Amino acid sequence: REHLPEEEIIADTAFEMPPIYRDSPKMRKQMARVYNAIALTDIRIGELLKKLKDDGLYDNTIIFFFADHGEGMPRGKTNGIDYGYRVPFIIRFPEKYKQLSPWGTGGKVANELVNFEDLAPTVLSLAGAESPQYLKGRAILGKERIKPSNHLLLSSDRADNGPDMVRTITDGQYVYSRNFMPFLPQMRYIRYIEISDIANHMRSDLADNVLDSLQKSLFEPRPMEFLFDVKNDSWETINLAEDKNFAPILQRMGKQLNDKLRKAKDVHFLTEYELGEISKTTTPYTFREDGGQYPFEEIYKAASLSGKRVVSTLKEQVQLLKSKNPIVRYWAITGLKSHPEEHITSYKKEIEAAMDDSYPPVVVLASAMAYDYFNDADAEQSLKQFSKSDNMHLALLALNSMLYLDEKQPFLETVKEVQEMPDRNYNVKAACLDYLGILGLVENNAKNEN
């Protein structure tokens, strides 16, 4: 606010509060700060435009304006829904280049689907150059302009120390997201977001039990699928995935997603641990493309079960724990984590057996389940050991698993020890700080972080 002229300042009461956030004085102060930051951005952009004019370049310049998700509004940045994907995008054409605009000039709003991978091919097209084959985006302007698609494939994976895997299809009005790790809430622990005041207010409101059901849902396990109509529900408050009236749309978009993932042979269905091992001798891209090394269909079939919280799926996943393919076993145990605890208790023997698996990521997740559900002492020791692993992927996987345990106190000294280890990378240390923050031993604000 101190950088804005008085007449530009947006008051705490000057806007409608998004329903996903509690309408309280503290939260209004945070939202007003965001709006004022946008107002300040407008002023700074105006200064840049003035400089272009003063330098005599304004009428010779095509201007692209876009952004990312900034400081990380909770439920927005890093989340695999429209709020987590959509960003502002504006192009300004001077009169001399108006023929390059397929939409004309004069403040028009286009409804084409555009994503960041389109920017490089577009600039090359404007410059009259051909795009190299490895650029997969669509030129939206210039001689090489490509006709727009009726849908886009989007993705959201781990952000800093917060794991996730979401794949999304959007047609501009409907957004369909498949959550492959639905046991993680939308408000999963990410240090970059946890240090913010707005996230602290939300967690405090949750602890005080003053959130409504929608706001509280951000802290709960997600459904397997989201389907939102962002044209009529811009804040994505109503999940249409279970509404029979929208079944045709759900099926169409689900098929589009499956087709896209199969065509791409999405290499991120491998574990981060596995990608790290592959990267010691080659690249994941080469590995994926090199003959039959990557049995995507087998892996994707197992991953596609994750989030289906029915007994028949549970039994299938238990059987997949015996697969010869370690990645299939990983997706089997990942899928089992998505089931409610009452579904798992009958399979104590199988979960504990998975703690002896030859594949470390399976052992980590099985140990987290065995400790959380069965209070298994060996599982506790296993998690402590993996959190100190020299392999940062395994250490982070263990720490992130520990973050969501009901009983955290037994791991406190181990987390403190890991936090002090000089060879730990940022993400491991961030997970430790999140853990200590949950226990009230680290204040979750930017001043302490700095």
Side-chain angles (χ1 to χ4, degrees):
R1 293 170 65 114
E2 61 271 21
H3 300 289
L4 286 170
E6 186 67 30
E7 66 273 11
E8 296 287 343
I9 293 176
I10 298 168
D12 296 3
T13 57
F15 50 85
E16 184 177 334
M17 194 70 180
I20 57 175
Y21 306 130
R22 181 174 175 241
D23 193 346
S24 67
K26 286 183 177 180
M27 292 297 285
R28 281 194 166 273
K29 180 180 179 181
Q30 294 302 315
M31 288 301 298
R33 182 176 56 79
V34 172
Y35 282 121
N36 281 306
I38 295 171
L40 180 59
T41 300
D42 286 342
I43 291 174
R44 295 288 182 257
I45 295 298
E47 292 169 355
L48 291 173
L49 296 179
K50 183 178 184 301
K51 181 170 175 54
L52 280 175
K53 292 176 181 178
D54 292 343
D55 292 344
L57 298 173
Y58 185 70
D59 292 328
N60 297 314
T61 305
I62 298 173
I63 299 170
F64 289 77
F65 173 85
F66 51 88
D68 73 356
H69 288 82
E71 69 175 65
M73 292 297 290
R75 205 215 185 193
K77 189 183 182 88
T78 81
N79 264 292
I81 58 175
D82 189 75
Y83 188 22
Y85 294 125
R86 188 183 295 267
V87 294
F89 183 53
I90 301 169
I91 308 175
R92 187 262 176 185
F93 297 89
E95 269 308 297
K96 69 182 296 182
Y97 294 132
K98 67 180 180 180
Q99 73 277 6
L100 295 174
S101 169
W103 313 290
T105 57
K108 294 185 179 179
V109 177
N111 60 3
E112 289 189 15
L113 296 170
V114 177
N115 67 15
F116 277 128
E117 72 177 4
D118 298 336
L119 298 184
T122 295
V123 173
L124 289 172
S125 176
L126 287 174
E130 290 186 7
S131 292
Q133 190 175 3
Y134 58 78
L135 288 181
K136 301 301 182 183
R138 173 177 75 91
I140 63 175
L141 302 170
K143 293 181 180 180
E144 302 299 321
R145 171 175 162 81
I146 297 173
K147 182 180 178 181
S149 172
N150 61 7
H151 64 280
L152 284 181
L153 172 67
L154 307 170
S155 64
S156 179
D157 293 302
R158 176 168 62 81
D160 291 346
N161 55 297
D164 201 7
M165 187 172 188
V166 185
R167 296 293 180 266
T168 301
I169 287 287
T170 181
D171 63 7
Q173 175 172 354
Y174 294 100
V175 177
Y176 168 77
S177 293
R178 178 64 165 88
N179 300 308
F180 288 95
M181 298 179 179
F183 49 85
L184 294 168
Q186 295 180 74
M187 279 291 291
R188 66 195 193 279
Y189 290 102
I190 299 174
R191 177 103 295 244
Y192 181 71
I193 294 176
E194 291 300 309
I195 62 175
S196 69
D197 287 337
I198 190 168
N200 290 328
H201 293 328
M202 292 173 72
R203 292 201 182 278
S204 178
D205 287 343
L206 176 69
D208 292 339
N209 198 30
V210 292
L211 300 180
D212 64 27
S213 59
L214 172 64
Q215 296 155 3
K216 192 180 296 184
S217 72
L218 307 188
F219 301 89
E220 298 169 346
R222 292 168 295 176
M224 181 181 75
E225 299 170 306
F226 281 132
L227 179 65
F228 295 114
D229 177 356
V230 294
K231 182 178 180 181
N232 297 298
D233 179 23
S234 59
W235 288 107
E236 298 170 281
T237 64
I238 303 172
N239 183 14
L240 303 172
E242 297 296 327
D243 189 327
K244 293 181 179 179
N245 294 319
F246 292 87
I249 295 173
L250 186 76
Q251 292 167 7
R252 169 175 60 83
M253 301 186 83
K255 183 179 184 304
Q256 288 174 330
L257 180 68
N258 287 330
D259 291 346
K260 287 277 190 180
L261 295 181
R262 286 192 166 97
K263 183 178 180 180
K265 292 176 63 177
D266 190 333
V267 77
H268 289 278
F269 281 90
L270 296 174
T271 65
E272 291 191 341
Y273 169 82
E274 193 70 22
L275 293 172
E277 294 298 298
I278 289 169
S279 297
K280 291 177 181 179
T281 57
T282 183
T283 67
Y285 177 85
T286 301
F287 175 85
R288 181 188 67 187
E289 298 298 317
D290 189 11
Q293 290 192 84
Y294 182 33
F296 177 77
E297 285 296 333
E298 181 185 8
I299 292 168
Y300 185 52
K301 182 179 179 181
S304 295
L305 298 175
S306 184
K308 296 182 179 180
R309 298 176 171 104
V310 294
V311 174
S312 59
T313 298
L314 173 66
K315 292 179 179 178
E316 188 173 354
Q317 289 164 330
V318 169
Q319 288 300 311
L320 288 176
L321 287 175
K322 302 174 184 178
S323 171
K324 293 181 180 180
N325 188 317
I327 310 300
V328 170
R329 299 198 302 273
Y330 163 81
W331 277 110
I333 197 71
T334 298
L336 289 170
K337 279 179 64 66
S338 298
H339 288 273
E341 183 175 350
E342 58 268 23
H343 284 188
I344 298 296
T345 51
S346 299
Y347 293 95
K348 178 180 179 181
K349 177 182 175 182
E350 288 80 1
I351 299 298
E352 292 181 338
M355 290 169 54
D356 294 322
D357 196 278
S358 61
Y359 193 58
V362 174
V363 179
V364 173
L365 297 183
S367 297
M369 293 180 69
Y371 174 79
D372 209 21
Y373 298 156
F374 312 128
N375 198 28
D376 188 295
D378 291 337
E380 178 181 333
Q381 293 307 312
S382 174
L383 288 172
K384 289 178 178 179
Q385 182 178 347
F386 273 112
S387 68
K388 300 177 186 178
S389 173
D390 291 335
N391 185 297
M392 294 300 112
H393 297 299
L394 295 176
L396 182 60
L397 182 61
L399 287 162
N400 276 320
S401 297
M402 291 155 56
L403 271 171
Y404 296 94
L405 297 173
D406 289 335
E407 182 53 56
K408 297 180 176 64
Q409 199 67 33
F411 299 95
L412 175 58
E413 295 306 316
T414 299
V415 172
K416 286 181 177 179
E417 183 182 345
V418 173
Q419 171 61 19
E420 295 300 320
M421 294 171 71
D423 64 341
R424 303 294 92 174
N425 66 18
Y426 166 80
N427 292 316
V428 168
K429 286 183 172 288
C432 290
L433 287 173
D434 277 343
Y435 198 97
L436 298 174
I438 295 170
L439 296 177
L441 300 176
V442 172
E443 288 190 36
N444 287 324
N445 59 59
K447 292 181 181 179
N448 278 39
E449 185 70 2
N450 293 332

